[in-house]
Amino acid sequence: MCSSGFSWSSTAEEVTQGIHGTGLTAIVTGTTHGIGIETARVLALRGVHVIMAVRNVIAAKAIKETILKEISTAKVDVMELDLSSMASVRKFALDFNSSGLPLNILINNAGIGASPFTLSKNNIELLFATNHLGHFLLTNLLLDTMKKTTIESKIEGRIVNVSSDGHHYTYPEGILFDKINDESSYEKWHAYGQSKLANILHANELATRLKEDGVDITANSLHPGSIITNIYNPETSGSVPTDLIKMIVNPQIKSIQQGAATTCYVALHPHVKGISGEYFSDNNVAKASSLAMNTDLAKKLWDFSMKIIDYNTQEQL
């Protein structure tokens, strides 16, 4: 696969220069911090109608106003979404699907960093619940709208999972299927790596299924680069292990503008058309870990995730 012509130092504005996204609608999760804000801003700058899917609606509305002051033609809306709550994910999807809006691009960007063992509202380990399961459910619930949009618009749909090279730092087994909620097996940085590995496996299996269905939607994952954001906040996550730092800080810390570049590139650039099931870094196709490329593990995670979602649905009935 040929080089994009961009590198680790390219910014989100640079990789989308000259691209017209007018007429496209994108949902971006987690747009109140760091690269999420920049992703929303640059997509809006290129004419995309951006739906900011956020936990903190007040903060998001302030960011929306800032974007509108800079870009008078921007189309930006705010919708509440708490990815750690399946009820919230279901409500968001129902509200969006009922709105009649098209959906061309879904960027699963939101994420939380390493934290002490906590259970979500659905009694699932919080990192796995927020970083993977919430996005997995959201994607499934929005897929019919995306399919309808691609058929009607004849424009390729794109699903983008923001992962991390931290996926290399998962547990030796990859995913602790039998111990997801086991506090005694929990190690926060491995749990973070596990959730980021899940992002890649999800995108890969989804890409396979979309291709088998003959649907014109791609699914890819990416490493945004090493950025100092709230994900790596020492106050909330503690000091980062030295070996993890060596793994992800390569070659150096990026600015927010550079950190959002790969997301915007994969979401918008014509060069990515038809590419699916790949892992990107520094605006180019990159190599993920052997666990991330394990198709059996991806299928197992898909089935495991579906079982949790189905069980939760039964609990709600």
Side-chain angles (χ1 to χ4, degrees):
M1 210 167 286
C2 62
S3 168
S4 68
F6 301 111
S7 67
W8 74 267
S9 63
S10 302
T11 66
E13 284 198 25
E14 287 169 351
V15 303
T16 57
Q17 188 68 44
I19 295 173
H20 300 287
T22 307
L24 301 179
T25 301
I27 291 174
V28 186
T29 67
T31 52
T32 54
H33 292 96
I35 62 172
I37 297 174
E38 181 67 358
T39 299
R41 186 188 74 82
V42 172
L43 291 184
L45 181 67
R46 302 306 175 214
V48 178
H49 179 189
V50 178
I51 312 297
M52 300 171 68
V54 297
R55 274 185 305 177
N56 189 335
V57 172
I58 294 170
K61 284 181 177 176
I63 291 160
K64 172 187 171 179
E65 289 308 312
T66 302
I67 293 173
L68 290 174
K69 279 179 186 174
E70 181 199 342
I71 311 157
S72 60
T73 55
K75 290 180 71 177
V76 183
D77 286 304
V78 175
M79 291 179 66
E80 187 173 2
L81 172 65
D82 179 356
L83 287 158
S84 70
S85 162
M86 290 194 211
S88 177
V89 175
R90 290 183 189 281
K91 183 181 185 306
F92 174 93
L94 181 64
D95 290 347
F96 182 83
N97 290 335
S98 303
S99 72
L101 285 170
L103 182 57
N104 306 90
I105 302 163
L106 172 61
I107 300 177
N108 293 318
N109 165 79
I112 56 173
S115 55
F117 181 83
T118 314
L119 291 176
S120 72
K121 293 171 185 173
N122 304 108
N123 292 314
I124 300 155
E125 187 275 305
L126 191 62
L127 279 169
F128 188 80
T130 305
N131 293 357
H132 165 63
L133 207 57
H135 281 132
F136 179 85
L137 176 59
L138 178 68
T139 304
N140 278 12
L141 294 174
L142 294 173
L143 211 47
D144 282 346
T145 296
M146 285 200 80
K147 289 176 181 177
K148 183 171 179 281
T149 301
T150 59
I151 291 167
E152 291 178 354
S153 67
K154 295 182 172 56
I155 298 170
E156 175 186 85
R158 295 187 184 183
I159 297 168
V160 183
N161 283 0
V162 179
S163 178
S164 165
D165 272 0
H167 78 272
H168 289 274
Y169 203 71
T170 186
Y171 298 102
E173 307 94 317
I175 309 285
L176 297 184
F177 292 105
D178 299 327
K179 297 178 179 178
I180 283 292
N181 293 341
D182 181 10
E183 188 171 357
S184 65
S185 304
Y186 184 83
E187 195 288 313
K188 63 184 179 183
W189 286 107
H190 288 320
Y192 175 72
Q194 173 181 251
S195 71
K196 295 288 100 181
L197 171 63
N199 293 152
I200 303 173
L201 293 170
H202 170 217
N204 290 354
E205 178 64 14
L206 180 59
T208 299
R209 289 168 180 260
L210 291 169
K211 188 175 181 181
E212 287 172 354
D213 291 346
V215 179
D216 191 20
I217 301 172
T218 62
N220 293 291
S221 56
L222 63 93
H223 170 53
S226 306
I227 308 121
I228 301 302
T229 69
N230 61 320
I231 286 278
Y232 302 112
N233 186 343
E235 292 181 13
T236 55
S237 58
S239 59
V240 185
T242 305
D243 45 350
L244 176 57
I245 290 173
K246 287 178 181 175
M247 208 171 277
I248 61 177
V249 182
N250 183 25
Q252 55 184 292
I253 301 295
K254 287 186 177 184
S255 68
I256 297 295
Q257 292 76 18
Q258 292 166 334
T262 305
T263 303
C264 292
Y265 175 75
V266 177
L268 273 188
H269 207 285
H271 286 176
V272 187
K273 182 174 172 57
I275 298 173
S276 195
E278 294 288 354
Y279 180 68
F280 288 77
S281 181
D282 297 335
N283 307 294
N284 284 281
V285 172
K287 191 172 182 181
S289 71
S290 55
L291 282 169
M293 304 314 293
N294 187 316
T295 54
D296 291 334
L297 189 61
K299 287 173 186 167
K300 188 174 181 181
L301 175 65
W302 185 283
D303 293 340
F304 179 74
S305 303
M306 287 300 297
K307 281 179 184 174
I308 295 176
I309 288 167
D310 290 343
Y311 176 79
N312 178 262
T313 304
Q314 294 301 317
E315 287 277 292
Q316 298 298 311
L317 296 176

